[in-house]
């Protein structure tokens, strides 16, 4: 289901709730939204768990670092409360502890929302949707798509260069000076090939009518239907439900103000 949602609508469903979550400083609201996002990702998207956890794991370390630093160095707004424990000259209070947990959970919520979009969205359809629904200039859209298609080619050419250097007896660089020389040996042929490919692609696109005209037809028509609106509404409703639950349970905190 997630792969069939209009990419622009999916981006709105991910971006706006993430911005709204930035205003909440309690741990319950981002936790509820994190659980909801992960559940939607696996229930309605064909996402492999191993791939998802491999991409999500680095954010666990990053979120833990954010939470720990917030506990040790809180702002004046979150420095009150009872002292829970002390490490050398640092004292972790109850307010700073929950502020750190909230920051960590918010970071994980942002990561989960980003993975939901990345793993269930086709890049080509996303650019076409931006062009058709958001009126992004076709010249910019097709330029980005052409550049994106170059990335696998550059990776293959880099592998060929490395193998050619090994055949000719050029080993791996070890020192800083050798690494700079190695970068130069790789960069010059890659840049030269990139310039030649860019010129050929530009001429080919212009000859086939891929100009800057906005009034054009599309082979793939990207539309917005009721299912897309339901998807966006679901993410908005779930955000306000999580805020309401936090308020009812006495956890809601917005910019340090309890409600």
């Amino acid at each position: 289901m997630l792969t069939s949602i209009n990419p622009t609508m999916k981006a709105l469903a991910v971006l706006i709730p993430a911005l709204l979550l930035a205003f909440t400083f309690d741990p319950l609201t981002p936790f509820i939204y994190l659980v909801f996002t992960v559940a939607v990702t696996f229930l309605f998207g064909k996402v492999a768990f191993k791939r998802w956890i491999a991409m999500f794991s680095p954010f666990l370390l990053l979120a833990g670092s954010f939470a720990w630093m917030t506990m040790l160095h809180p702002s004046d707004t979150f420095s009150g409360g009872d002292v829970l424990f002390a490490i050398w000259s640092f004292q972790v209070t109850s307010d700073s502890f929950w502020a750190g947990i909230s920051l960590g959970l918010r970071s994980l919520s942002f990561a989960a929302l980003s993975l939901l979009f990345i793993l269930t969205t086709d890049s080509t359809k996303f650019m076409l949707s931006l062009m058709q629904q958001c009126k992004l200039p076709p010249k910019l859209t097709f330029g980005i798509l052409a550049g994106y298609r170059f990335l696998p080619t550059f990776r293959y050419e880099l592998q060929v260069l490395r193998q050619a250097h090994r055949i000719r007896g050029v080993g791996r660089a070890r020192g800083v000076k050798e690494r700079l020389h190695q970068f130069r040996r790789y960069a010059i042929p890659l840049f030269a090939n990139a310039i030649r490919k860019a010129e050929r692609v530009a001429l080919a696109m212009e000859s086939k009518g891929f100009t800057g005209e906005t009034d054009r037809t599309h082979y793939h028509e990207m539309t917005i239907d009721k299912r897309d609106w339901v998807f966006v509404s679901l993410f908005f409703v779930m955000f306000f439900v999580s805020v309401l639950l936090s308020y009812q349970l006495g956890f809601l905190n917005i910019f340090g103000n309890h409600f």
Side-chain angles (χ1 to χ4, degrees):
M1 176 183 173
L2 292 180
T3 56
S4 62
I5 299 297
N6 186 285
T8 298
M9 300 297 288
K10 192 189 303 182
L12 290 176
V14 168
L15 180 60
I16 297 179
L19 293 176
L20 294 176
L21 279 174
F23 295 96
T24 61
F25 286 81
D26 61 278
L28 186 59
T29 302
F31 175 76
I32 296 174
Y33 211 78
L34 173 62
V35 174
F36 164 74
T37 304
V38 174
V40 170
T41 302
F42 289 106
L43 290 177
F44 300 103
K46 294 181 180 180
V47 179
F49 178 76
K50 289 184 178 180
R51 183 186 180 190
W52 185 89
I53 200 65
M55 299 178 69
F56 189 74
S57 297
F59 293 103
L60 291 173
L61 179 61
L62 187 64
S65 302
F66 287 159
W68 182 244
M69 293 304 297
T70 303
M71 293 178 191
L72 295 181
H73 303 281
S75 62
D76 295 336
T77 306
F78 301 102
S79 59
D82 300 330
V83 177
L84 299 180
F85 57 91
I87 300 178
W88 293 298
S89 60
F90 300 100
Q91 291 183 344
V92 178
T93 63
S94 58
D95 289 352
S96 63
F97 175 80
W98 289 115
I101 296 297
S102 174
L103 179 59
L105 290 173
R106 270 183 286 147
S107 302
L108 294 179
S109 297
F110 299 156
L113 287 169
S114 301
L115 291 179
L116 183 147
F117 181 81
I118 293 171
L119 297 177
T120 62
T121 305
D122 182 79
S123 58
T124 301
K125 292 182 179 179
F126 179 50
M127 297 307 300
L128 292 176
S129 177
L130 289 177
M131 181 171 58
Q132 297 179 31
Q133 271 76 54
C134 299
K135 305 305 179 182
L136 192 70
K139 184 181 294 186
L140 179 61
T141 304
F142 290 121
I144 294 174
L145 286 175
Y148 179 75
R149 297 300 181 186
F150 280 158
L151 295 179
T153 304
F154 290 152
R155 183 173 59 183
Y156 172 74
E157 290 180 353
L158 180 60
Q159 293 176 352
V160 172
L161 282 173
R162 287 176 175 174
Q163 293 172 359
H165 287 178
R166 289 180 183 178
I167 291 175
R168 288 165 175 78
V170 181
R172 291 184 177 182
R174 297 181 179 180
V176 177
K177 187 176 181 180
E178 291 184 5
R179 289 182 182 274
L180 291 175
H181 287 295
Q182 185 184 54
F183 174 78
R184 184 180 178 182
R185 290 196 303 268
Y186 290 158
I188 292 177
L190 287 176
F191 284 152
N193 288 335
I195 293 172
R196 286 195 294 265
K197 284 183 172 60
E199 291 178 350
R200 291 197 296 265
V201 170
L203 292 174
M205 290 177 65
E206 187 174 357
S207 65
K208 292 178 173 58
F210 291 98
T211 60
E213 298 179 0
T214 57
D215 186 14
R216 59 179 299 118
T217 58
H218 301 279
Y219 181 76
H220 293 286
E221 292 287 345
M222 306 298 297
T223 59
I224 298 177
D225 53 22
K226 293 182 180 180
R227 180 174 51 185
D228 300 317
W229 288 110
V230 170
F231 179 81
V232 174
S233 301
L234 177 64
F235 273 74
F236 278 90
V237 169
M238 192 59 202
F239 171 77
F240 290 108
V241 168
S242 61
V243 171
L244 181 61
L245 287 175
S246 299
Y247 175 75
Q248 293 292 336
L249 297 176
F251 284 94
L252 185 61
N253 188 320
I254 298 178
F255 284 119
N257 300 315
H258 290 273
F259 293 91

